[in-house]
Amino acid sequence: MTTDERGQILVTARLLEAAGKLDWLSTGLTLLAAAQVVFGAPSVFDLVVIVLGIMAKTCSILIAFDAKLLRDVALETITAVDLDAAFPAKARRDWTARLGGAQRLVTIFAVTTVAQCVGIVVIGIAR
């Protein structure tokens, strides 16, 4: 691993860690919609917000996992060879492809959380 690659890996790991903070917002929105389903008059928008919340939670778990893996790689606790052995379906990808996949996951997570926010606003306007 080159010095440039290590820097890119560390920056991506920190991006993933920062994205994890959004999980609190997504969880809160999901619980708000779930409370409306349980205690109020549920709408299709409530269910959409809940489904988006489940998708966001899945992304959040994957993001946290990737962040820890990338931190371990940057600290040279594990190597690309170790990752290839653990994940043979994604073996032999260069760091640009690996980091791009992690960054796409953050984008999906952010878009899903923004969609939840829009859904909550629509619920508020509709009532």
Side-chain angles (χ1 to χ4, degrees), residues 10-104:
L10 279 172
V11 168
T12 303
R14 295 214 172 106
L15 169 71
L16 297 175
E17 291 166 356
K21 306 285 189 244
L22 262 182
D23 185 46
W24 287 103
L25 174 61
S26 176
T27 299
L29 295 172
T30 303
L31 292 173
L32 184 64
Q36 182 62 29
V37 168
V38 172
F39 300 114
S43 72
V44 73
F45 293 110
D46 294 309
L47 299 176
V48 168
V49 170
I50 291 169
V51 169
L52 288 169
I54 292 167
M55 291 170 56
K57 184 58 77 176
T58 302
C59 287
S60 176
I61 291 167
L62 293 171
I63 286 169
F65 180 73
D66 283 355
K68 288 180 181 172
L69 279 179
L70 290 177
R71 199 173 332 118
D72 286 344
V73 168
L75 295 172
E76 296 183 342
T77 307
I78 60 174
T79 66
V81 174
D82 296 331
L83 288 177
D84 289 346
F87 306 105
K90 297 186 177 198
R92 293 194 170 95
R93 292 189 307 163
D94 64 2
W95 283 111
T96 302
R98 292 175 197 257
L99 299 177
Q103 292 164 355
R104 275 189 298 282

